[in-house]
Amino acid sequence: KAGVTQTPRYLIKTRGQQVTLSCSPISGHRSVSWYQQTPGQGLQFLFEYFSETQRNKGNFPGRFSGRQFSNSRSEMNVSTLELGDSALYLCASSPQTVTDTQYFGPGTRLTVL
Amino acid sequence: KNEVEQSPQNLTAQEGEFITINCSYSVGISALHWLQQHPGGGIVSLFMLSSGKKKHGRLIATINIQEKHSSLHITASHPRDSAVYICAVAGVLGGSNYKLTFGKGTLLTVNP
């Protein structure tokens, strides 16, 4: 099976812009989670989607949003970018929940200038 | 206080040494994950534990639910084991609702 893919791999944006990141899970996986990784905070949970519904959300402002499509592919959107949004954004898929083994994508490196 | 505490933060070992990385958590959990991240690389899941002990090659992971503690052991360490090891717990929020909370990671360097 193909692994989790994320596009784009690298992105440079300026403050105030918005960005959309994409994640394609492993075939058959219905749970997709998104994470932000920074040197200072480490890995932090953004949200989880299952069957096109957001099942849980981390402690991030409303500028961070996401959705999941019927084929389980997921997108996350960050509006009104701030310098502090510069990070590696990772998605992970699993068959049902985050209690299953998580399969991580390579991540999207976002730089906000 | 973080919900997930890892120790040590940094660990340097000589090739062949036995390595132990610890993870303590303060919330009720349904599962605990050990993850590995090489510099500049992606994250790989090593173990998912809900009880007891698991072994894969030279890696062993244990969890004590009552004591809210897990350990990751590496036997006969090798330079290719050099990576960041991250503990993540799946906290129960109700039903099928869980949330992953991560430790800050342990940077392991194994010298030849």
Side-chain angles (χ1 to χ4, degrees), chain A residues 35 37 40-45 48 55-56 59 88 90 97-102 104, chain B residues 30-31 33 35 37 42-45 48 86 90 93 96-100 102-104:
Chain A
Y35 306 94
Q37 187 176 36
Q41 297 297 320
L43 274 161
Q44 293 182 281
F45 171 76
E48 184 210 2
R55 190 151 61 177
N56 194 13
N59 298 325
L88 180 66
L90 294 148
T97 78
V98 296
T99 61
D100 300 322
T101 296
Q102 297 288 291
F104 286 81
Chain B
S30 185
H33 300 270
L35 310 171
Q37 186 174 33
I43 295 177
V44 173
S45 178
M48 189 283 291
I86 302 167
L93 300 175
S96 297
N97 209 355
Y98 307 95
K99 172 186 152 182
L100 274 190
F102 298 86
K104 296 292 188 188

Side-chain angles (χ1 to χ4, degrees), chain B residues 82-108:
Chain B
S82 298
V84 175
Y85 292 84
I86 302 167
C87 167
V89 300
V92 182
L93 300 175
S96 297
N97 209 355
Y98 307 95
K99 172 186 152 182
L100 274 190
T101 304
F102 298 86
K104 296 292 188 188
T106 296
L107 174 60
L108 171 65

Side-chain angles (χ1 to χ4, degrees), chain A residues 7-112:
Chain A
T7 56
R9 294 292 310 278
Y10 302 91
L11 207 46
I12 299 175
K13 293 285 188 180
T14 56
R15 277 183 302 174
Q17 287 187 309
Q18 76 163 16
V19 66
T20 299
L21 312 181
S22 181
C23 172
S24 292
I26 289 172
S27 177
H29 285 188
R30 297 170 67 191
S31 169
V32 175
S33 301
W34 287 90
Y35 306 94
Q36 182 195 65
Q37 187 176 36
T38 59
Q41 297 297 320
L43 274 161
Q44 293 182 281
F45 171 76
L46 279 158
F47 26 67
E48 184 210 2
Y49 284 87
F50 179 85
S51 290
E52 302 178 65
T53 301
Q54 187 181 86
R55 190 151 61 177
N56 194 13
K57 191 178 193 306
N59 298 325
F60 280 81
R63 300 185 296 107
F64 292 81
S65 63
R67 58 178 175 168
Q68 186 181 35
F69 302 95
S70 59
N71 61 358
S72 292
R73 189 177 71 84
S74 178
E75 289 181 347
M76 69 162 280
N77 184 76
V78 188
S79 62
T80 319
L81 284 166
E82 300 177 359
L83 295 179
D85 297 333
S86 294
L88 180 66
Y89 291 88
L90 294 148
C91 80
S93 76
S94 65
Q96 297 289 331
T97 78
V98 296
T99 61
D100 300 322
T101 296
Q102 297 288 291
Y103 295 85
F104 286 81
T108 294
R109 173 75 61 185
L110 172 65
T111 302
V112 183

